[in-house]
Amino acid sequence: MPNTAPVIQSLVVNAVDKYTQIGDVVGAIEARDDEADDLTYTLVEGGDLFELDGNQIKAKVLFGQEPLHKQHPIKIAVSDGEFSPEESVTVDEIGAVSYTHLRAHE
């Protein structure tokens, strides 16, 4: 039977903000291979901000230090040694927000 490509079943990420610490898990990718080959996960895009630890996506920097909301694309490849399908997702960064508390006049 010929080898088939791994199937990416899910790629889930959470938003990051000023409370996200370096090394925090912010997402995960799940894949399967019909031939039960060992799978290797590679971060194709987004490696300046995120890193992979097995199938977990972890923060590599501190986020939310600016008041801007940003989006960071990442792309992950899953390889069985022959085929390497890729999947993309966008991580939302929630910027720092300062709140002003108003006191009611008595």
Side-chain angles (χ1 to χ4, degrees):
M1 175 176 237
N3 188 27
T4 58
V7 175
I8 297 171
Q9 296 175 301
S10 69
L11 175 55
V12 178
V13 295
N14 299 312
V16 294
D17 59 22
K18 67 181 182 178
Y19 300 108
T20 304
Q21 299 297 308
I22 294 172
D24 282 357
V25 175
V26 299
I29 184 168
E30 296 293 330
R32 67 173 171 75
D33 186 73
D34 289 341
E35 294 79 32
D37 293 329
D38 289 335
L39 298 178
T40 303
Y41 300 90
T42 305
L43 193 57
V44 177
E45 181 182 353
D48 54 332
L49 302 175
F50 304 97
E51 62 187 358
L52 289 178
D53 184 4
N55 71 328
Q56 295 183 328
I57 304 162
K58 294 185 174 185
K60 206 166 138 177
V61 300
L62 295 175
F63 294 95
Q65 306 304 309
E66 300 175 17
L68 305 173
H69 295 296
K70 299 178 184 176
Q71 294 186 321
H72 306 288
I74 61 172
K75 184 185 290 185
I76 298 175
V78 179
S79 176
D80 65 357
E82 184 177 350
F83 297 104
S84 298
E86 297 178 348
E87 187 75 27
S88 297
V89 69
T90 300
V91 179
D92 289 321
E93 178 180 352
I94 301 168
V97 179
S98 58
Y99 295 95
T100 303
H101 296 282
L102 300 176
R103 246 174 71 180
H105 294 294
E106 296 178 8

